[in-house]
Amino acid sequence: LFPITSMRHALKNVDKWMRPEKRKADFPFNVLGTRAYVFHQPMGVIGVLAPWNVPFGLSYAPLAGALAAKKLHIKIAHVEAGLRSFNMKMPEEINRILTDRISDILFCPTKKAMNNLINEGYSIFESKLVLSGDIMEDTAIFYSAFSQKPEIDCSGNYILATVHRAENTDDKVRLQNIFEALNEIALHNQVILPIHPRTKKKIIEYSIPIENITVVDPLGYLNMIYLIKGCDFIMTDSGG
């Protein structure tokens, strides 16, 4: 499931903090949609089985899974910990702050993420901080060889754009300004925009004109990797 270097590094660090003779992923573990594994320590090490919940990212599912695991006294290792937008109006910001706080091991993708946690006082908490690397970057690199060209004309130079954050889509003036800029840029450079359903709904609701932009339906992961590899640059309101 995880053919990526950072995930292997993260799992090795789970070993380090669990201190088993051998690590074994006993079975896939799913708590309310959380993508996770449960790891068990050998009984000779601590005398009892010790499962681990490993939530990924910042959506509702990892938070729900982490909360359920914590209530069951299952240890938690949060992958992609320490990321911050410093915008508490974002639901994802609340999710990741709460998930980080109840986790036992925090696998941080960058030094900045590590510093965010240190600045929040994690150096004096019982949690362990690990600089594991960015699994999203590793995944993109790994699957780059399997990227697939979408059924659109993107043979020349082009800019890849995405717009879907609620702060932009739910603000009529801001969304109008964004598409005015994209329409103008598209006069000189092809702009490919895989459109998010919420963005599409708001464009229709606000009667925002789309001119010159190559608008396509949402694309699969391998199609997006292809476009990312071939574009001049990316214009986005999100890393996702």
Side-chain angles (χ1 to χ4, degrees):
L1 276 179
F2 305 109
I4 44 182
T5 56
S6 290
M7 194 59 217
R8 288 196 295 268
H9 176 73
L11 295 181
K12 288 179 181 178
N13 278 280
V14 169
D15 283 348
K16 178 181 178 181
W17 299 119
M18 289 168 59
R19 303 186 185 281
E21 295 293 330
K22 294 180 181 179
R23 174 183 55 77
K24 182 176 74 171
D26 293 280
F27 54 90
F29 183 52
N30 188 295
V31 178
L32 300 179
T34 299
R35 292 171 295 167
Y37 273 88
V38 170
F39 298 95
H40 281 113
Q41 281 181 288
M43 293 185 68
V45 177
I46 58 171
V48 293
L49 290 177
W52 282 78
N53 174 270
V54 187
F56 288 72
L58 46 77
S59 67
Y60 290 103
L63 173 59
L67 285 171
K70 199 68 175 180
K71 297 289 186 178
L72 295 170
H73 306 291
I74 295 172
K75 290 188 176 182
I76 303 166
H78 185 202
V79 179
E80 295 187 332
L83 298 177
R84 297 290 184 267
S85 68
F86 303 102
N87 178 8
M88 291 299 289
K89 292 183 179 179
M90 288 179 60
E92 296 90 345
E93 183 77 350
I94 299 169
N95 294 346
R96 56 190 164 203
I97 288 173
L98 294 175
T99 304
D100 283 345
R101 185 60 188 89
I102 62 175
S103 294
D104 298 277
I105 302 180
L106 297 146
F107 291 117
C108 303
T110 64
K111 290 183 179 179
K112 184 175 181 179
M114 290 275 288
N115 290 333
N116 287 339
L117 294 178
I118 292 171
N119 291 336
E120 292 175 13
Y122 278 78
S123 57
I124 62 172
F125 296 163
E126 293 183 359
S127 306
K128 305 294 184 180
L129 306 186
V130 179
L131 180 60
S132 60
D134 188 347
I135 67 169
M136 297 301 290
E137 180 182 3
D138 283 353
T139 304
I141 293 171
F142 179 86
Y143 283 104
S144 176
F146 305 98
S147 61
Q148 299 174 359
K149 183 181 182 300
E151 295 182 359
I152 57 176
D153 181 13
C154 54
S155 56
N157 295 340
Y158 62 89
I159 299 165
L160 179 61
T162 70
V163 182
H164 84 277
R165 286 291 180 193
E167 294 91 333
N168 291 325
T169 61
D170 295 348
D171 186 316
K172 181 178 179 179
V173 174
R174 182 175 293 177
L175 195 62
Q176 285 176 330
N177 290 338
I178 289 172
F179 275 92
E180 283 179 8
L182 290 176
N183 284 331
E184 184 174 350
I185 293 169
L187 289 171
H188 311 285
N189 301 275
Q190 183 184 16
V191 175
I192 299 176
L193 175 70
I195 194 161
H196 191 282
R198 179 170 63 236
T199 307
K200 183 177 181 179
K201 178 182 177 181
K202 290 298 182 178
I203 287 173
I204 296 172
E205 178 182 335
Y206 299 149
S207 299
I208 296 176
I210 296 180
E211 303 167 353
N212 313 311
I213 303 171
T214 304
V215 178
V216 298
D217 290 332
L219 297 172
Y221 183 74
L222 297 180
N223 291 147
M224 282 297 291
I225 292 295
Y226 182 95
L227 292 179
I228 290 171
K229 287 171 59 180
C231 70
D232 291 339
F233 57 89
I234 301 169
M235 301 178 68
T236 180
D237 60 0
S238 168

